[in-house]
Amino acid sequence: MRVLKQTSRTFNIPINLLKPTLKKTVASAYLCMRAIDEIEDHEQLSSDTKQQLLRETAKLLKTDFDQEAYVKLVKPYETVLPEVTLRLGDWIEVCPQGITDKVTESTAIMAEGMAKWTEKNWIIHTEEDLDDYTYYVAGLVGVMLSDIWEWYDGTQTDRELAIGYGRGLQAVNMIRNQKEDAERGVQFIPDGWTREDMFTYAKRNLKQADEYIKVIKTRNILLFCRIPLALAKKTLKAMENGKEKMSRNEVEDTVEDIINKK
């Protein structure tokens, strides 16, 4: 939970509101995906090194994860990689056995997709490219969470809508980080698209998130799903009004409103 708090402001809040079993499961699953995300985003690693680490990690995730082999793989980079990445084996170990395979499967697919887009230098030309990239880096989070809900209490959710939910959250991040991404030579906006087009893309996918949560009856899960969605919508609105992001007070008030909502 300490590492979770260090790596995610958005998901740390709703994860901590989950009941113990779900909290442990979602936290470990999130940290598995965050571990490989830190490789893709790393500023000091070369493109070739990122691709190699991501592809080799994916291979390990597709079998009974060999902790010794993973430690050996990341050892040359242990001084630059963050704790969340170096301890991937720990996150897999604390994940409850009945759901571990689904978590490692989604994480492996994500790692392969990230390696592919690292090789392409994250240059997106078309909406299809954007859909493909956002599927790997965020849509798969939605798929994995849907698997966890079903394992936990039989909650059935639409995997396609889950992908849309993830895409919507990622699109909001892309809009927010557009300037920083451009400065490091990365373009997540398709050719010919304006910033307005990206807002439209984000809103269209967040509507799928609205549909996704309609069928959820377990209050604990519903609460978890509502918080990132509400924060994403309000962040979009803030950016449309010329702000960079929501204030800390706005975030706290939004979370409080959702918790108190019947």
Side-chain angles (χ1 to χ4, degrees):
M1 298 316 291
R2 173 185 59 79
V3 177
L4 175 70
K5 191 174 181 181
Q6 288 173 348
T7 55
S8 175
R9 284 175 308 214
T10 304
F11 280 101
N12 183 50
I13 300 167
I15 288 174
N16 270 290
L17 293 171
L18 291 169
K19 288 179 181 174
T21 300
L22 262 187
K23 181 177 174 178
K24 183 180 179 182
T25 308
V26 176
S28 62
Y30 174 84
L31 288 169
C32 285
M33 288 187 158
R34 189 60 190 243
I36 60 166
D37 182 55
E38 291 285 351
I39 297 173
E40 185 207 17
D41 283 346
H42 207 287
E43 293 181 3
Q44 291 169 258
L45 299 177
S46 70
S47 176
D48 287 346
T49 298
K50 289 180 181 183
Q51 290 171 56
Q52 183 229 346
L53 288 174
L54 289 165
R55 289 187 173 119
E56 290 301 318
T57 300
K59 284 180 191 172
L60 291 171
L61 288 164
K62 286 179 177 178
T63 58
D64 287 335
F65 190 80
D66 186 334
Q67 170 75 324
E68 283 185 27
Y70 182 74
V71 169
K72 189 177 177 183
L73 174 67
V74 296
K75 188 157 184 63
Y77 314 101
E78 64 183 357
T79 58
V80 293
L81 286 172
E83 181 181 1
V84 67
T85 302
L86 297 173
R87 295 183 62 191
L88 174 58
D90 289 342
W91 318 139
I92 294 169
E93 199 173 316
V94 297
C95 191
Q97 281 192 338
I99 192 63
T100 307
D101 286 352
K102 289 289 187 184
V103 170
T104 53
E105 179 188 5
S106 288
T107 308
I109 296 168
M110 180 182 275
E112 287 174 331
M114 285 178 169
K116 178 179 81 170
W117 279 99
T118 300
E119 191 173 3
K120 292 182 176 187
N121 201 30
W122 306 282
I123 301 299
I124 286 167
H125 292 293
T126 65
E127 185 171 351
E128 287 72 24
D129 288 343
L130 182 59
D131 275 346
D132 189 72
Y133 179 70
T134 51
Y135 165 71
Y136 285 116
V137 299
L140 278 164
V141 180
V143 172
M144 180 180 71
L145 288 170
S146 285
D147 288 335
I148 291 172
W149 310 148
E150 188 170 356
W151 163 80
Y152 178 68
D153 68 356
T155 293
Q156 296 278 347
T157 47
D158 188 312
R159 302 300 193 272
E160 285 302 313
L161 294 177
I163 292 167
Y165 187 168
R167 280 189 177 126
L169 297 186
Q170 186 65 27
V172 172
N173 285 337
M174 287 172 166
I175 296 167
R176 196 176 68 220
N177 300 327
Q178 191 179 346
K179 190 178 174 186
E180 290 167 32
D181 290 333
E183 284 170 0
R184 62 190 180 97
V186 177
Q187 156 143 335
F188 290 116
I189 296 180
D191 297 342
W193 274 33
T194 62
R195 191 169 167 85
E196 276 305 308
D197 291 324
M198 279 300 287
F199 274 102
T200 301
Y201 179 83
K203 288 174 185 174
R204 187 169 72 243
N205 280 290
L206 290 178
K207 276 186 180 173
Q208 291 193 48
D210 287 329
E211 292 301 313
Y212 176 77
I213 67 175
K214 278 181 182 177
V215 300
I216 298 173
K217 301 288 185 267
T218 306
R219 176 165 163 73
N220 205 215
I221 295 172
L222 188 57
L223 197 63
F224 174 91
C225 293
R226 277 179 174 161
I227 290 172
L229 178 54
L231 293 175
K233 286 179 177 178
K234 291 199 173 185
T235 299
L236 264 189
K237 199 165 188 178
M239 291 190 294
E240 281 184 310
N241 292 331
K243 297 179 188 173
E244 281 188 26
K245 58 183 180 180
M246 295 169 69
S247 69
R248 185 177 291 274
N249 283 343
E250 286 172 324
V251 170
E252 289 171 358
D253 289 346
T254 300
V255 173
E256 196 67 31
D257 286 348
I258 292 168
I259 292 170
N260 294 328
K261 190 176 180 182
K262 296 298 180 191

